[in-house]
Amino acid sequence: MVNANSISLPQLPAQDDAKSVVVEDKGIARVVTLNRPRVLNCLNHEMVLTIIKHYEEWETDENVHFVVVKGNGRVFCAGGDLRMFFNAKKGDDSLSTTEVIYCKYWLDYHVGTYKKPLIALWTGLVMGGGAGLTVPGRFRVATEKAMFSMPEAALGLHTDCGSSFWLSRLPGHLGEYLALTGHRLDGAEMLTCGLATHFVPLQRLPELEKQLYELTSGDLDTLQKTLDEFSIPTTPGERSILHRTSAIDNLFCKDSVEDILAALEVQFNELAEDWVKEVIKIIKRSSPTGLKVTFNSIREARKKTWAECLRTEYRLTINAIKGTVSNDFYEGIRAIVVDKDNRPKWNPTSLQEVTPEDLKLVFQPFKESLELQLQDPRWSGNFLQTAYHVEHGNQ
């Protein structure tokens, strides 16, 4: 076992650590609280490194039986800190964006293969990298205030952090729909489609936490029984998109984004349904590159393993920040997050202009030394050990 301390992970100032992630010992449990409520608990590099350090330690600590992950304030996590990437592009940040991305994907892999139960408590926004940090875990508890979304295609990126794996395994073609539209699901919908394992009313979360922290055994049966005691049945509301799964399957089963859009337009012309009109509007205003990369990523993921999906997504993300075929990621951040004019100027401007050659280029494997290293023993292959770091340093 390689210890994180032995490979010289960057050291965090105690003050920053305390501000961004709060770690607590609660009997046989350990609690991680994402603690940047003013910025919707968006994940930055320091938070990822802190979580890596503790997760590795806890996995082999016999005194730790399970881990609880939650957010401080009204949201769980709104995803990654996009301004960090925008500032790095401008040269305002000396941090290697490659290292940031590598460490997050590397953590996501270990979350999905963690040897002890992880329990996520979801309330408020559960988006992007925040979903990636917890969906692969054993238990996901949603409240009536939880709101899931993967809006990356609208930003010129792709659904990332392992989401191609679990979105592609949702019922039917719901994953393609959620990825291409960024549609938000509430807690009841999250439970119904399988993203959440339990639904607990927000007012009962403190009581649930108290009972979890008083447990003397953290075996799966005990945890399941405890969570089941607090979980209540729930069904999607009348206007839920989950009542339209047959239509979604018929529309989003097509072989390309262009074919999906064409099918949507045919259905709207025939039935004039408001929800179809809104989906058409969303797709037409999203990044053509982001849409096509996202679609292909999810379709390919249906036949890939967890590790294969992460390695593919890592390539896609690196190519996005390098602008290999498009700078839409930075333009999306500028328009939606920084300037907030909501008028991105995509390039290419249409789906037809994103060529098969472009897609082939961003999906093709890197030289092995530049790939995401996901091998045994556990927790080896950290960015600081990789050939990329040795060859390129913090470029």
Side-chain angles (χ1 to χ4, degrees):
M1 179 66 66
V2 178
N3 187 277
N5 294 326
S6 69
I7 57 175
S8 301
L9 279 172
Q11 295 299 305
L12 299 176
Q15 183 180 13
D16 289 346
D17 184 4
K19 284 184 177 180
S20 62
V21 177
V22 175
V23 175
E24 300 172 278
D25 294 359
K26 296 283 188 178
I28 61 173
R30 296 296 178 266
V31 184
V32 172
T33 303
L34 308 180
N35 192 37
R36 300 180 72 206
R38 292 184 180 179
V39 290
L40 306 179
N41 292 327
C42 283
L43 296 168
N44 61 24
H45 193 44
E46 291 77 14
M47 296 170 77
V48 171
L49 293 176
T50 300
I51 295 169
I52 286 173
K53 174 180 180 293
H54 289 292
Y55 274 26
E56 181 183 1
E57 292 174 353
W58 295 337
E59 191 171 67
T60 56
D61 186 342
E62 62 182 16
N63 295 314
V64 179
H65 290 220
F66 62 94
V67 179
V68 174
V69 190
K70 61 181 183 176
N72 183 20
R74 297 182 178 181
V75 305
F76 174 73
C77 176
D81 189 342
L82 297 177
R83 288 179 180 270
M84 171 178 58
F85 295 102
F86 191 78
N87 291 338
K89 174 69 171 177
K90 294 194 304 177
D92 296 342
D93 193 335
S94 61
L95 184 64
S96 162
T97 51
T98 299
E99 180 177 351
V100 171
I101 294 163
Y102 190 102
C103 288
K104 181 56 168 67
Y105 277 100
W106 190 76
L107 171 60
D108 292 334
Y109 170 75
H110 287 90
V111 167
T113 56
Y114 205 62
K115 295 182 178 180
K116 293 182 179 179
L118 298 171
I119 304 174
L121 303 181
W122 286 339
T123 188
L125 298 175
V126 182
M127 300 172 67
L133 182 66
T134 47
V135 171
R138 183 74 185 199
F139 300 110
R140 288 95 56 195
V141 179
T143 72
E144 71 275 16
K145 297 295 185 180
M147 191 67 68
F148 167 88
S149 178
M150 297 297 290
E152 288 78 10
L155 287 166
L157 189 59
H158 61 96
T159 45
D160 57 355
C161 297
S163 59
S164 67
F165 180 85
W166 37 265
L167 283 174
S168 67
R169 285 156 175 79
L170 293 180
H173 292 277
L174 180 62
E176 286 95 330
Y177 169 79
L178 294 174
L180 296 178
T181 66
H183 183 86
R184 293 186 171 191
L185 298 179
D186 63 25
E189 292 170 314
M190 292 160 74
L191 180 70
T192 301
C193 75
L195 284 169
T197 59
H198 295 81
F199 182 88
V200 176
L202 181 60
Q203 65 179 9
R204 296 205 68 195
L205 270 190
E207 186 181 353
L208 168 60
E209 286 193 69
K210 181 176 182 294
Q211 189 155 324
L212 285 171
Y213 305 150
E214 291 175 349
L215 292 175
T216 57
S217 172
D219 65 84
L220 289 177
D221 288 343
T222 299
L223 294 175
Q224 180 76 53
K225 181 180 179 181
T226 302
L227 294 169
D228 288 348
E229 288 177 4
F230 286 83
S231 187
I232 63 172
T234 186
T235 55
E238 289 184 7
R239 302 181 65 181
S240 171
I241 196 66
L242 297 186
H243 296 309
R244 303 184 186 279
T245 52
S246 293
I248 287 173
D249 288 347
N250 289 333
L251 293 165
F252 284 81
C253 70
K254 309 304 181 186
D255 293 331
S256 69
V257 181
E258 292 94 329
D259 288 347
I260 290 172
L261 184 58
L264 286 162
E265 290 175 332
V266 168
Q267 179 152 327
F268 180 71
N269 289 335
E270 292 178 352
L271 303 176
E273 295 171 302
D274 289 340
W275 77 274
V276 175
K277 180 180 180 180
E278 182 61 24
V279 170
I280 293 171
K281 179 180 177 181
I282 290 170
I283 290 178
K284 286 187 172 181
R285 74 185 181 207
S286 296
S287 159
T289 301
L291 288 169
K292 295 187 84 166
V293 171
T294 292
F295 177 81
N296 283 23
S297 175
I298 291 178
R299 278 296 163 87
E300 290 188 9
R302 290 176 177 268
K303 300 178 181 179
K304 290 182 177 180
T305 66
W306 173 237
E308 288 170 342
C309 286
L310 286 167
R311 284 166 68 94
T312 297
E313 290 180 25
Y314 174 73
R315 296 175 202 131
L316 297 177
T317 306
I318 293 298
N319 281 318
I321 66 168
K322 287 185 174 181
T324 300
V325 298
S326 171
N327 283 310
D328 277 3
F329 181 39
Y330 296 107
E331 175 61 10
I333 297 174
R334 180 208 64 77
I336 298 170
V337 179
V338 179
D339 295 343
K340 299 181 180 179
D341 58 26
N342 290 312
R343 294 183 178 181
K345 295 179 174 62
W346 305 125
N347 184 22
T349 60
S350 70
L351 291 168
Q352 290 71 24
E353 291 177 81
V354 183
T355 67
E357 291 74 23
D358 290 335
L359 295 173
K360 181 179 179 180
L361 185 60
V362 297
F363 275 87
Q364 71 182 15
F366 296 150
K367 183 172 69 172
E368 182 57 31
S369 64
L370 305 184
E371 291 280 10
L372 182 66
Q373 304 298 316
L374 303 174
Q375 72 273 344
D376 290 328
R378 295 279 292 168
W379 303 99
S380 64
N382 182 276
F383 182 82
L384 297 178
Q385 296 175 306
T386 64
Y388 187 101
H389 180 76
V390 173
E391 293 175 12
H392 299 273
N394 282 335
Q395 293 183 3

